[in-house]
């Protein structure tokens, strides 16, 4: 439906000509229970190692570059969930430091506190916000947790039977952690105790009923702060203006627009997934699953049949008002882009395509905010479906 917005570069699978200095990435895959190390070079993307120490369903990864430590969450669909810490060696190989059993279905983590000694975790199935003391990266420990209940299901009962915490987002002042709760239609807010990893809960922000807030980002624009949340159930993006008072963070809703931009729509069965902000704070990119309304050239050069793809949708942030302008709807590299990340320079985007056993790295134009050609792709995951779900740059 939006093929006309795809730039010409994306219609070619030839690797773009600009040389790429070696870039290291990781990707997690559910179906073969692995954390993959990958290297992107001029020749493309290659798998360099695999670790099975992130448990049965490896998902979200958090890097503490300063401590050369990578944290990996295991959703543990069967019930054995865990948090693994790895030392990242000079040659990018991973050395397991600790594996801590945690409450079921951790789906997102964020570092915070003095020297990044705290790791905040959202647990989906078990409706819990936890924090871990990761001061000693070889001896991880639970520090605090809060479990929520709901008196009755939300407007989308099949998905809102209980609170489902989905993301942990440190605010730009590093004083608050915001946690979208897909089940309860809330943005839960925690004040971080200065100088400690302890936290206290403050009043949550009400999200739109039935929206199912999933992932969010803060954006700073001069003295202003905005917050955007991608809603999985309504497939919309809600924008907020953020203001601070001592010990309080206030969010005033500015707008709620389709994940495809104002006036956009999605086919039945769509589930919005990931939301990231560009390092220059000028653009956000959303991923959407279950649409498959775009096509790309086949990744097998001998096969002329085009393959379906879900989109990555880029928006430009109006620095004065926080409103969003649609920039581009581009193929994500295949089906089910559950997780993706932008590199620090803003010049590369790595997407994990869960239903296609593929990780794809795109070039990105930092001036226009548009994705351009593919600079590399690799097969990640073995078996049908439920393959790679998160990709992260080592930087
Ligand atoms: C969890 O781990 C324990 C100990 O290794 C094992 O006995 C149990 O079967 C596992 N449970 C599930 C649901 O995988
Ligand atoms: C939550 O924290 C309490 C208090 O520290 C602890 O007793 C309990 O085991 C924790 N529960 C889980 C599931 O982490
Ligand atoms: C070509 O690609 C299509 C789409 O992925 C696939 O269904 C078909 O099996 C492929 N053909 C060959 C010969 O691999
Ligand atoms: C990046 O986008 C700008 C427009 O904002 C354009 O002028 C420039 O040519 C683009 N760069 C490349 C390499 O396509």
């Amino acid at each position: 439906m939006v093929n006309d917005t795809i730039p010409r570069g994306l219609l070619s699978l030839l690797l773009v000509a600009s040389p790429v200095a070696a870039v290291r990435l990781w990707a997690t895959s559910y179906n073969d229970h692995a954390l993959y190390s990958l290297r992107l070079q001029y020749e493309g993307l290659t798998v360099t190692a695999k670790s099975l120490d992130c448990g049965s369903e490896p998902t979200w990864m958090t890097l503490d570059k300063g401590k050369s430590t990578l944290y990996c969450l295991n959703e543990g669909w069967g019930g054995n969930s865990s948090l693994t810490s790895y030392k990242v060696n000079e040659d990018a190989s991973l050395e397991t430091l600790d594996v801590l059993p945690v409450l079921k279905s951790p789906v997102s983590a964020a570092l915070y506190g003095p020297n990044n000694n705290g790791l905040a975790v959202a647990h989906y199935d078990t409706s819990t916000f936890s924090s871990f003391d990761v001061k000693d990266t070889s001896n991880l420990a639970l520090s605090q947790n809060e479990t929520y209940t709901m008196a009755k299901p939300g407007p989308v009962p099949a998905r809102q039977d209980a609170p489902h915490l989905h993301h942990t987002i440190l605010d730009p002042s590093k004083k608050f952690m915001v946690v979208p709760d897909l089940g309860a239609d809330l943005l839960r807010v925690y004040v971080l105790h200065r100088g400690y990893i302890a936290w206290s809960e403050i009043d949550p922000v009400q999200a739109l009923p039935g929206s199912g807030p999933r992932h969010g980002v803060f954006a700073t624009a001069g003295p202003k702060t905005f917050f955007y949340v991608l809603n999985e159930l309504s497939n919309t993006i809600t924008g907020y203006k953020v203001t601070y008072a001592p010990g309080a963070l206030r969010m005033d809703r500015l707008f709620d627009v389709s994940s495809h931009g104002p006036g956009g729509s999605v086919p039945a069965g769509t589930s919005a997934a990931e939301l990231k902000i560009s390092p220059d704070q000028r653009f956000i990119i959303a991923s959407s699953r279950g649409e498959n309304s775009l096509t790309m050239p086949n990744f097998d050069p001998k096969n002329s049949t085009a393959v379906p793809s879900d989109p990555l949708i880029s928006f430009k942030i109006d620095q004065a008002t926080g409103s969003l302008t649609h920039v581009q709807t581009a193929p994500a590299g295949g089906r089910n882009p559950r997780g993706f990340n932008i590199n620090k320079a803003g010049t590369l985007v790595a997407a994990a395509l869960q239903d296609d056993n593929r990780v794809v790295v795109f070039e990105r134009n930092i001036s226009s905010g548009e994705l351009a050609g593919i600079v590399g792709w690799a097969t990640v995951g073995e078996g049908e479906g439920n393959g790679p779900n998160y990709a992260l740059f080592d930087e």
Side-chain angles (χ1 to χ4, degrees):
M1 78 184 173
V2 280
N3 276 311
D4 58 335
T5 67
I6 303 168
R8 292 207 71 78
L10 281 177
L11 298 175
S12 164
L13 273 176
L14 292 174
L15 301 185
V16 296
S18 51
V20 179
V23 170
R24 287 153 26 173
L25 298 90
W26 293 288
T28 42
S29 175
Y30 292 133
N31 59 15
D32 57 350
H33 323 292
L35 190 168
Y36 282 69
S37 301
L38 300 146
R39 188 173 55 221
L40 178 69
Q41 284 174 299
Y42 185 68
E43 301 78 36
L45 187 65
T46 48
V47 173
T48 55
K50 250 169 111 165
S51 164
L52 298 179
D53 286 350
C54 187
S56 54
E57 280 81 31
T59 183
W60 189 276
M61 292 171 284
T62 308
L63 177 68
D64 189 332
K65 189 70 183 169
K67 289 186 196 167
S68 299
T69 303
L70 180 69
Y71 301 94
C72 182
L73 298 178
N74 166 23
E75 275 183 47
W77 295 343
N80 287 336
S81 297
S82 49
L83 164 65
T84 297
S85 53
Y86 292 98
K87 178 173 191 288
V88 182
N89 292 318
E90 281 292 307
D91 65 356
S93 62
L94 296 178
E95 195 180 311
T96 304
L97 297 173
D98 196 12
V99 182
L100 179 74
V102 303
L103 198 59
K104 189 167 179 249
S105 66
V107 287
S108 163
L111 290 160
Y112 71 96
N115 200 27
N116 278 346
N117 288 344
L119 188 74
V121 172
H123 302 260
Y124 183 89
D125 290 358
T126 45
S127 314
T128 296
F129 177 65
S130 298
S131 60
F132 296 88
D133 183 339
V134 297
K135 181 170 190 209
D136 179 351
T137 53
S138 299
N139 187 17
L140 311 174
L142 175 70
S143 70
Q144 211 177 331
N145 64 62
E146 187 69 46
T147 298
Y148 299 95
T149 56
M150 263 157 58
K152 58 178 175 50
V156 183
R159 296 292 307 281
Q160 299 187 308
D161 53 323
H164 292 305
L165 285 66
H166 218 306
H167 195 193
T168 44
I169 311 138
L170 184 64
D171 89 303
S173 76
K174 302 190 189 314
K175 291 177 179 161
F176 300 91
M177 193 69 71
V178 172
V179 176
D181 183 334
L182 185 151
D185 289 326
L186 291 175
L187 305 175
R188 299 191 184 274
V189 186
Y190 305 90
V191 187
L192 307 172
H193 295 190
R194 196 179 162 162
Y196 299 90
I197 62 167
W199 43 265
S200 317
E201 189 175 7
I202 57 173
D203 285 346
V205 176
Q206 298 288 332
L208 290 167
S211 59
R214 176 182 170 99
H215 283 188
V217 292
F218 281 93
T220 52
K224 294 180 179 161
T225 304
F226 302 107
F227 184 76
Y228 303 96
V229 66
L230 183 62
N231 303 303
E232 177 171 342
L233 304 181
S234 61
N235 291 292
T236 61
I237 299 174
T238 311
Y240 296 88
K241 182 174 178 10
V242 178
T243 45
Y244 294 98
L249 171 147
R250 178 173 160 172
M251 291 203 198
D252 292 303
R253 190 163 64 239
L254 296 171
F255 60 82
D256 183 66
V257 296
S258 163
S259 60
H260 281 260
S265 62
V266 297
T270 299
S271 296
E274 187 64 276
L275 187 68
K276 297 285 176 183
I277 183 153
S278 62
D280 62 11
Q281 307 279 300
R282 293 171 58 232
F283 298 91
I284 58 172
I285 308 179
S287 74
S288 185
R289 300 170 292 178
E291 300 194 21
N292 296 317
S293 40
L294 303 177
T295 55
M296 308 182 71
N298 206 296
F299 283 74
D300 173 0
K302 295 197 280 295
N303 189 330
S304 60
T305 306
V307 294
S309 179
D310 276 318
L312 292 178
I313 311 153
S314 297
F315 297 92
K316 187 170 188 170
I317 298 170
D318 183 303
Q319 300 290 297
T321 65
S323 67
L324 298 176
T325 305
H326 176 263
V327 167
Q328 182 196 37
T329 299
R335 299 170 300 162
N336 201 346
R338 177 184 164 97
F340 69 89
N341 265 293
I342 310 173
N343 71 342
K344 279 227 158 65
T347 54
L348 298 171
V349 171
L353 290 315
Q354 194 178 335
D355 290 354
D356 279 324
N357 287 354
R358 193 185 297 133
V359 169
V360 178
V361 183
F362 296 95
E363 263 201 331
R364 179 174 174 274
N365 182 327
I366 56 170
S367 146
S368 67
E370 290 180 336
L371 303 192
I374 290 172
V375 285
W377 67 275
T379 297
V380 167
E382 293 164 11
E384 284 294 299
N386 278 336
N389 65 86
Y390 202 68
L392 180 70
F393 290 93
D394 173 14
E395 52 173 31

